[in-house]
Structure formats: structure tokens, C-alpha cells
DNA sequence: GTGCCTGTTACCTC
DNA sequence: AGAGGTAACAGGCA
């Protein structure tokens, strides 16, 4: 569910809600695995009484910089956060709550329970193993070309791998590859400089458009993405190939097909995205 | 009901 | 290094 644009939208709303500067008075954990590998006792004891200094996004993580620790939240497939002004009964799928000094409660809801709230160590943690931020100044087309040159693998799993470029998921990878006219099973090392330059631009374009539209909310039920305020994003109306199998390619009218690449559902225009024969 | 699908990632073996 | 399988879960859908 939440990829970079969705997490960015949530982080911006957390800031707008003035969570920076708020003090966490108490923490409730209803599903212990959400704070794995910490014990509930350790997690609650560590997080309680700390002030949230700042909130930032790194890749698909929400990062709470606390007084003494860094708290990272990964929403995985179905994680959501939302604020309520006062205490409310715990609904199904709510697995954790932060109580703030001003009385507000930050809820964590996650139908599939894949998400994680983790206390990161500044020196050795997941964040330091992440690849480059695709919207940062460090992400340039020569850097992308070098990365592609140094690996021999299919483009789709390359772009999904957070160790190389951090923040892309299934939706935005399909969109970026379609926009760059690259077949998801093309091999990284065979991508030309020109293609890499175009892909660099399309990656940024699809992510920036996703953020501008406040994220992608697929389907029409509650298990889909919603931001902090519960609003659905609007980017699903701007997708060109993702979940559009059977519909015409917006560029050439060829019927979009769905294939399987590296075990992931993958959407392509068979005319625009040709796989080069060896 | 059955079986397959899903926006993520970790971990395992080959 | 990289591919492939499985698992963590719950629900939607045909």
C-alpha cells in the first residue's frame, strides 16, 4: 500500500497536526509483534515520556526523532495512522496507540499486521542500509546509470529493491517503467545512458505526481490507503498502466496486459515496452 | 466454501 | 550476486 508518495503525504499531515513538539505520555500495544523485535515492556518504557523532536520520511519509513531515540514506523501493506482528540474504544485492527500530553491519541491500525514500529539505533539500523532517496539531489542520472551498470538483474526487482533506490513499490515502478518505455524484464546492465536518463526523469515524475495528488488509493473500500486525516489520495486517477489491464495504453492504444515478474503482478504496454531479444 | 489475489519485506536455499 | 520459494496476516473476489 504505502509507497514513498503515500508516506510523504502522511508525514506532512503529521507535521501539520503539530505532532512535532508533542510529548508522548503513554503507549499501548495490543499486538506485540508490531513492536518486534522489542518486547512490549521495553518499547513502552523507552517511548513513554519522550518528546517528538521532529518527524521526517526516509524511503517508506515514517521517522519520529524522539529526545533519546529514533522511532521508525513502516506501514507495509495495510498500516494506517490517525489522530483522535480523545480516548476512544479500541476497534478491530488497532494494534498500538500513542497518548499525547495534550490529550490526543495517535492510533495505529493495520489489517494484515505486517507493519512495524521499531526503535532504531543511530549507528546500526535498517535506515542506514537503505539506498538513495529518489527525490534527493544525490539521485542523478549518472548515479542511476552506474547503479544499473553494476548489476545484472531484471529491471523490476532492481527498482523494487530498497538497497539501491529507496521508496519505490509496485505501483510507481510499473508507472516509471511504462513512462520510460522499458520492459520490466530488461536487464539492468543493458540499459543505455539515454534510457537511464529518461528513467531517472520518469521515476521522479511519477513520485512527484503521486505526492501532488496526495497518494494512490486503489479500490474503494477501507482496506486501501488513506492519509492521517482519513482522506483518500487522488493519484489512482492518474495511473497509466497499474491495474489497467485490458484497457488501452494512453500512449498508443494497445491493450495493457498483466504479467508476472519476480513474483509480482506487473502491468505493461506490450507495444511500448518491448523486451530485446538476445 | 475454495482457491487465488493483494500496495511489503525478511529469511531461507540453491 | 541474484533467483525463487515461503512466511508474516486478513480480506476481497470469482
Amino acid at each position: 500500500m504505502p509507497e514513498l508518495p503515500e508516506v510523504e503525504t502522511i508525514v506532512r499531515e503529521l507535521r501539520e497536526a503539530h505532532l512535532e513538539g508533542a510529548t508522548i505520555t503513554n503507549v499501548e500495544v495490543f499486538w506485540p509483534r508490531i513492536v518486534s523485535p522489542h518486547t512490549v515492556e521495553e518499547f513502552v518504557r523507552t517511548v513513554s515520556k519522550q518528546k517528538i523532536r521532529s518527524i521526517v520520511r526516509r524511503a517508506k519509513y515514517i521517522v519520529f526523532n524522539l529526545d533519546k531515540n529514533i522511532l521508525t514506523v513502516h506501514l507495509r501493506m495495510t498500516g494506517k495512522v490517525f489522530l483522535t482528540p480523545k480516548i476512544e474504544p479500541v476497534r478491530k485492527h488497532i494494534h498500538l496507540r500513542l497518548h499525547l500530553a495534550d490529550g490526543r491519541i495517535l492510533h495505529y491500525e493495520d489489517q494484515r499486521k505486517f507493519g512495524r514500529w521499531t526503535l532504531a539505533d543511530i549507528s546500526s539500523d535498517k535506515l542506514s542500509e537503505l539506498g538513495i532517496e529518489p527525490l534527493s539531489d544525490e539521485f542523478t542520472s549518472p548515479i542511476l546509470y552506474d547503479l544499473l551498470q553494476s548489476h545484472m538483474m531484471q529491471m523490476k526487482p532492481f527498482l523494487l529493491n530498497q538497497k539501491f533506490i529507496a521508496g519505490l513499490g509496485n505501483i510507481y515502478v510499473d508507472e516509471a517503467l511504462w513512462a520510460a518505455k522499458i520492459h520490466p524484464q530488461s536487464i539492468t546492465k543493458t540499459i543505455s545512458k539515454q534510457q537511464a536518463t529518461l528513467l531517472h526523469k520518469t521515476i521522479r515524475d511519477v513520485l512527484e505526481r503521486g505526492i501532488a495528488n496526495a497518494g494512490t488509493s486503489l479500490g474503494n473500500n477501507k482496506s486501501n490507503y488513506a492519509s492521517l486525516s482519513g482522506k483518500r489520495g487522488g493519484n489512482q486517477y492518474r495511473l497509466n498502466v497499474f491495474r489497467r489491464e485490458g484497457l488501452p495504453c494512453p500512449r498508443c492504444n494497445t491493450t495493457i496486459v498483466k504479467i508476472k515478474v519476480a513474483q509480482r503482478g506487473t502491468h505493461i504496454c506490450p507495444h511500448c515496452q518491448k523486451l530485446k531479444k538476445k
Side-chain angles (χ1 to χ4, degrees):
Chain A
M1 153 212 202
E3 305 180 27
L4 187 155
E6 290 74 34
V7 178
E8 178 66 26
T9 302
I10 291 168
V11 165
R12 289 180 183 184
E13 291 193 6
L14 287 167
R15 291 207 202 97
E16 285 162 16
H18 302 290
L19 253 73
E20 290 174 320
T23 298
I24 300 162
T25 52
N26 189 21
V27 183
E28 294 173 289
V29 179
F30 308 113
W31 187 262
R33 191 166 285 167
I34 295 293
V35 298
S36 164
H38 310 292
T39 65
V40 171
E41 193 275 331
E42 175 200 14
F43 185 85
V44 170
R45 174 168 40 81
T46 307
V47 174
S48 295
K49 313 283 183 274
Q50 293 210 49
K51 184 191 261 192
I52 299 169
R53 294 284 176 194
S54 64
I55 306 170
V56 297
R57 179 192 59 74
R58 171 75 171 107
K60 302 177 195 174
Y61 289 86
I62 303 168
V63 180
F64 291 94
N65 290 306
L66 306 180
D67 286 327
K68 299 173 189 151
N69 300 82
I70 297 172
L71 171 59
T72 67
V73 177
H74 199 300
L75 305 168
R76 294 280 187 104
M77 302 280 274
T78 51
K80 292 181 186 65
V81 289
F82 63 91
L83 271 175
T84 59
K86 54 183 172 50
I87 192 86
E88 291 187 3
V90 180
R91 292 205 314 263
K92 194 179 178 183
H93 302 315
I94 290 177
H95 310 307
L96 186 151
R97 299 198 291 204
L98 298 186
H99 294 251
L100 305 179
D102 61 16
R104 292 184 295 172
I105 320 274
L106 184 67
H107 298 249
Y108 179 63
E109 181 178 21
D110 188 349
Q111 182 189 110
R112 292 177 71 177
K113 299 175 177 161
F114 289 172
R116 289 291 178 273
W117 288 56
T118 310
L119 289 160
D121 194 295
I122 301 169
S123 53
S124 68
D125 72 277
K126 295 273 164 44
L127 299 186
S128 62
E129 292 164 19
L130 289 169
I132 196 161
E133 277 291 326
L135 295 182
S136 71
D137 292 343
E138 291 90 79
F139 183 58
T140 61
S141 47
I143 292 262
L144 174 60
Y145 181 68
D146 285 350
L147 265 177
L148 292 168
Q149 283 295 300
S150 58
H151 294 278
M152 185 78 99
M153 59 192 292
Q154 296 181 340
M155 284 301 288
K156 175 129 183 182
F158 171 85
L159 292 174
L160 286 174
N161 193 321
Q162 304 296 300
K163 282 188 295 197
F164 306 134
I165 300 166
L168 293 167
N170 215 25
I171 299 174
Y172 296 97
V173 165
D174 280 8
E175 292 297 313
L177 287 172
W178 174 85
K181 300 187 182 180
I182 294 172
H183 192 284
Q185 288 173 308
S186 306
I187 302 302
T188 48
K189 218 177 167 133
T190 70
I191 299 297
S192 68
K193 260 186 189 146
Q194 290 72 20
Q195 283 178 303
T197 301
L198 178 56
L199 179 63
H200 171 262
K201 176 181 167 6
T202 66
I203 287 172
R204 291 203 185 220
D205 285 349
V206 298
L207 293 175
E208 282 167 0
R209 191 187 316 144
I211 293 170
N213 290 313
T216 302
S217 295
L218 297 168
N220 48 22
N221 60 53
K222 62 177 162 52
S223 70
N224 298 302
Y225 163 76
S227 66
L228 177 72
S229 53
K231 281 191 294 234
R232 285 165 59 82
N235 200 56
Q236 59 274 20
Y237 306 114
R238 305 292 302 276
L239 299 177
N240 289 304
V241 279
F242 192 84
R243 296 241 179 129
R244 291 177 55 81
E245 60 270 32
L247 297 171
C249 168
R251 200 164 37 208
C252 76
N253 271 344
T254 302
T255 302
I256 293 163
V257 296
K258 184 176 179 182
I259 61 175
K260 208 85 163 172
V261 179
Q263 269 103 260
R264 305 296 302 274
T266 300
H267 310 76
I268 60 165
C269 167
H271 177 74
C272 296
Q273 296 165 275
K274 291 246 167 65
L275 190 55
K276 275 183 216 147
K277 291 273 161 57
K278 287 175 195 166

